[in-house]
Amino acid sequence: MQTVTVSASSAYPVYIGGGLLERAGELIAASTQSRTCAVVTDSKVGPLYAAQVCRSLQDVGFTVRLHAFPAGERNKNLGTYGAILEFLAENKLTRSDFLVALGGGVVGDMAGFAAATYQRGIGYIQMPTTFLAASDSSVGGKTAIDLAAGKNLAGAFHQPDMVICDTDTFRTLPDAVFSDGVAETVKHGLIADAAFYQFLMDGDIRAQIDDVVRRNVEIKASVVGEDEFERGRRKLLNFGHTLGHAIEKCSGYAVTHGHAVAAGMALASRAAERLGYSPAGTLEAVLAANKRFGLPSGCPYAAGELYAAATSDKKRSGSGIDVVVLEQVGQAKTVRLDMEGLRAFTEAAL
Ligand code: NAD
Ligand code: GLY
């Protein structure tokens, strides 16, 4: 088992390794006085892993309530979130009890938002079961649901008390879901660590999965430790997200988050090179990674459609929006655009 500590407004451990689902009870019991929890999962992860996690918790004396909602981004909405809150209330969870988010990023974001808001905030533990959730969404405390107007438009910053990442769970992931995590991993290399990017291009991710997850978590922990509430450096983690979220929305969430981010990074890098924000060669680095991992670099939507979807992105503030571009592989910066600038950026991206 490897451990990374995140030092944000609270400090917490991220445990990474095989066989950790069955150690969940032991790891959690050592760090809490509470004895009741709700395990929140989805309809695909529940049948695979919930029994094992519940048993591990019960074996060390926890009373466990289990709630599963229908899997998928289209269910990351107010209705599903409301049902989680009602479940917690019906089962009389108190402020000293806690949630366990068992699943991918959709489960983590929604259970985390429920934990942030139920009785004005209770503790929660992230147990990511996708490569994307392990490498990105389970760490850093961003929780959210989607609204009709766009992705993640209601949410809160609420750090988990612990992250337990059992990398054995990735064995049941469909290849396409695994590659969603590869996209966020490539993003971390492109914005923060050229040597990591090169390892991804030359090495074997699956053969060294624990180390790859650990490096992702270290990069994220470093950024979140410095800028938990996204006033500065954390914005760089949104590389590929302004146009990526627009692609997700235009597709009615048929395009998954990781695939949309991969395409968003390519589109942003093309626009950035054409408009002189990034040097030549940065687009090529993104295209090469997307090609190697079978991720998309284009999108079927016209500039006008993408622009309309991008204007409801929550990274917009006042009359402007910060888009992330590469200075070189391993280094990124933000560029502040007004709405006309965003339109020009979107047109140059295609
Ligand atoms: P997901 O949670 O929808 O999981 C993808 C699919 O895989 C689902 O059908 C799920 O049921 C299934 N699944 C999960 N684990 C499995 C396993 N071990 N075996 C078999 N099937 C499994 O998607 P995701 O890619 O994990 O997460 C995407 C979400 O994360 C998006 O909503 C995105 O906005 C969010 N996100 C949040 C942050 C953050 O910082 N909070 C960062 C990145 C992404
Ligand atoms: N995935 C973006 C962030 O956590 O800030």
Side-chain angles (χ1 to χ4, degrees):
M1 180 173 85
Q2 308 195 36
T3 307
V4 179
T5 301
V6 183
S7 299
S9 48
S10 60
Y12 55 92
V14 180
Y15 300 119
I16 301 156
L20 295 188
L21 287 190
E22 61 192 31
R23 292 185 57 196
E26 165 210 333
L27 292 168
I28 296 169
S31 76
T32 180
Q33 300 299 315
S34 171
R35 280 295 168 263
T36 301
C37 64
V39 174
V40 177
T41 189
D42 72 24
S43 54
K44 290 192 182 161
V45 178
L48 292 170
Y49 300 116
Q52 197 179 350
V53 171
C54 292
R55 197 177 327 112
S56 167
L57 289 161
Q58 285 158 345
D59 283 351
V60 295
F62 287 107
T63 299
V64 183
R65 310 283 179 227
L66 176 64
H67 177 75
F69 61 79
E73 182 75 33
R74 290 190 178 110
N75 297 305
K76 189 179 164 184
N77 58 29
L78 276 168
T80 312
Y81 161 72
I84 298 172
L85 292 178
E86 293 293 357
F87 175 84
L88 300 178
E90 279 159 21
N91 285 280
K92 301 190 173 17
L93 263 81
T94 70
R95 294 183 85 173
S96 60
D97 301 328
F98 64 96
L99 291 194
V100 175
L102 173 68
V106 167
V107 171
D109 278 15
M110 275 204 302
F113 188 39
T117 48
Y118 179 68
Q119 298 195 1
R120 300 201 179 89
I122 65 172
Y124 75 115
I125 289 173
Q126 290 274 16
M127 293 191 67
T129 64
T130 64
F131 181 34
L132 182 145
S135 299
D136 191 349
S137 61
S138 63
V139 173
K142 276 190 184 176
T143 73
I145 57 170
D146 303 333
L147 301 180
K151 281 273 297 180
N152 296 336
L153 289 183
F157 288 97
H158 187 52
Q159 299 294 336
D161 297 319
M162 181 185 290
V163 181
I164 302 172
C165 170
D166 184 339
T167 49
D168 287 345
T169 60
F170 304 165
R171 289 183 191 149
T172 53
L173 287 177
D175 287 345
V177 178
F178 187 83
S179 42
D180 284 319
V182 176
E184 298 279 20
T185 299
V186 168
K187 178 194 79 179
H188 285 149
L190 287 168
I191 63 167
D193 186 343
F196 187 46
Y197 169 84
Q198 206 51 54
F199 162 78
L200 299 171
M201 294 303 287
D202 301 336
D204 181 345
I205 295 179
R206 286 186 190 264
Q208 296 187 57
I209 192 71
D210 290 6
D211 291 331
V212 172
V213 171
R214 190 203 63 233
R215 186 66 195 128
N216 275 314
V217 172
E218 285 171 349
I219 290 169
K220 192 141 185 201
S222 151
V223 174
V224 170
E226 187 182 310
D227 178 27
E228 180 174 355
F229 299 108
E230 201 169 296
R231 296 189 178 108
R233 189 177 167 211
R234 189 166 184 170
K235 290 179 184 174
L236 301 181
L237 295 175
N238 295 326
F239 180 43
H241 281 56
T242 299
L243 297 179
H245 280 170
I247 291 170
E248 279 184 83
K249 188 179 171 205
C250 287
S251 77
Y253 298 107
V255 178
T256 55
H257 181 70
H259 281 64
V261 166
M265 292 191 294
L267 297 186
S269 298
R270 179 173 296 106
E273 281 196 14
R274 284 183 174 160
L275 298 173
Y277 300 126
S278 295
T282 44
L283 171 62
E284 195 182 322
V286 178
L287 295 180
N290 286 350
K291 185 168 180 213
R292 172 165 165 75
F293 297 113
L295 290 160
S297 290
C299 87
Y301 306 107
E305 265 181 290
L306 277 185
Y307 170 76
T311 54
S312 64
D313 195 280
K314 69 183 178 319
K315 284 172 287 300
R316 187 175 159 189
S317 64
S319 58
I321 188 163
D322 291 315
V323 296
V324 184
V325 299
L326 294 180
E327 293 187 290
Q328 59 185 48
V329 171
Q331 205 173 316
K333 66 179 178 184
T334 55
V335 176
R336 182 91 182 146
L337 300 176
D338 61 19
M339 288 302 107
E340 273 317 300
L342 178 63
R343 189 188 289 280
F345 190 86
T346 309
E347 281 165 1
L350 296 172

Short mmCIF file of all heavy atoms in Angstrom, two decimals, residues 136 142 187 220 230 234 237-238 241, ligand 2:
data_model
loop_
_atom_site.label_atom_id
_atom_site.label_comp_id
_atom_site.label_asym_id
_atom_site.label_seq_id
_atom_site.Cartn_x
_atom_site.Cartn_y
_atom_site.Cartn_z
N ASP A 136 -7.96 11.45 -10.05
CA ASP A 136 -8.38 12.85 -10.14
C ASP A 136 -9.52 13.18 -9.19
O ASP A 136 -9.34 13.83 -8.16
CB ASP A 136 -8.76 13.15 -11.60
CG ASP A 136 -8.96 14.63 -11.87
OD1 ASP A 136 -9.02 15.40 -10.91
OD2 ASP A 136 -9.07 15.02 -13.04
N LYS A 142 -13.57 18.70 -4.64
CA LYS A 142 -14.62 19.30 -5.48
C LYS A 142 -15.78 18.31 -5.55
O LYS A 142 -15.59 17.14 -5.93
CB LYS A 142 -14.12 19.55 -6.89
CG LYS A 142 -13.38 20.85 -7.05
CD LYS A 142 -13.16 21.11 -8.54
CE LYS A 142 -12.35 22.34 -8.77
NZ LYS A 142 -12.06 22.54 -10.21
N LYS A 187 -3.31 14.63 -18.95
CA LYS A 187 -3.46 16.06 -18.59
C LYS A 187 -2.48 16.43 -17.50
O LYS A 187 -1.79 17.46 -17.59
CB LYS A 187 -4.91 16.32 -18.14
CG LYS A 187 -5.16 17.76 -17.70
CD LYS A 187 -6.47 17.90 -16.95
CE LYS A 187 -6.33 17.42 -15.49
NZ LYS A 187 -7.58 17.56 -14.72
N LYS A 220 -1.90 16.25 -8.03
CA LYS A 220 -3.13 16.92 -7.62
C LYS A 220 -3.00 17.47 -6.20
O LYS A 220 -3.43 18.57 -5.91
CB LYS A 220 -4.31 15.96 -7.75
CG LYS A 220 -5.61 16.69 -7.61
CD LYS A 220 -6.72 16.27 -8.49
CE LYS A 220 -7.88 17.23 -8.25
NZ LYS A 220 -9.17 16.73 -8.64
N GLU A 230 -9.32 27.23 -5.88
CA GLU A 230 -9.19 27.58 -7.30
C GLU A 230 -9.18 29.08 -7.56
O GLU A 230 -9.93 29.59 -8.38
CB GLU A 230 -10.32 26.91 -8.12
CG GLU A 230 -9.97 26.80 -9.60
CD GLU A 230 -10.91 25.93 -10.38
OE1 GLU A 230 -10.97 24.72 -10.10
OE2 GLU A 230 -11.59 26.45 -11.28
N ARG A 234 -4.85 26.17 -9.23
CA ARG A 234 -5.77 25.03 -9.45
C ARG A 234 -6.49 25.13 -10.79
O ARG A 234 -6.93 24.13 -11.35
CB ARG A 234 -6.76 24.91 -8.29
CG ARG A 234 -7.57 23.63 -8.39
CD ARG A 234 -8.32 23.27 -7.13
NE ARG A 234 -8.98 22.00 -7.31
CZ ARG A 234 -9.56 21.29 -6.35
NH1 ARG A 234 -9.56 21.74 -5.11
NH2 ARG A 234 -10.15 20.13 -6.61
N LEU A 237 -5.66 22.75 -13.60
CA LEU A 237 -6.23 21.39 -13.68
C LEU A 237 -7.41 21.34 -14.64
O LEU A 237 -7.89 20.27 -14.99
CB LEU A 237 -6.68 20.92 -12.29
CG LEU A 237 -5.59 20.72 -11.23
CD1 LEU A 237 -6.22 20.37 -9.88
CD2 LEU A 237 -4.62 19.62 -11.65
N ASN A 238 -7.87 22.53 -15.06
CA ASN A 238 -9.00 22.56 -15.98
C ASN A 238 -8.56 22.56 -17.45
O ASN A 238 -9.37 22.85 -18.34
CB ASN A 238 -9.86 23.81 -15.71
CG ASN A 238 -10.50 23.76 -14.34
OD1 ASN A 238 -10.86 22.69 -13.85
ND2 ASN A 238 -10.62 24.91 -13.70
N HIS A 241 -10.91 21.54 -20.29
CA HIS A 241 -12.25 21.41 -19.72
C HIS A 241 -13.28 22.40 -20.28
O HIS A 241 -14.46 22.08 -20.34
CB HIS A 241 -12.20 21.55 -18.19
CG HIS A 241 -11.73 20.30 -17.50
ND1 HIS A 241 -10.52 19.70 -17.79
CD2 HIS A 241 -12.30 19.51 -16.55
CE1 HIS A 241 -10.38 18.61 -17.05
NE2 HIS A 241 -11.44 18.47 -16.29
N1 GLY B 2 -10.43 18.33 -11.87
C1 GLY B 2 -10.20 19.70 -11.57
C2 GLY B 2 -9.93 19.99 -10.12
O1 GLY B 2 -10.01 19.15 -9.27
O2 GLY B 2 -9.66 21.10 -9.80
#
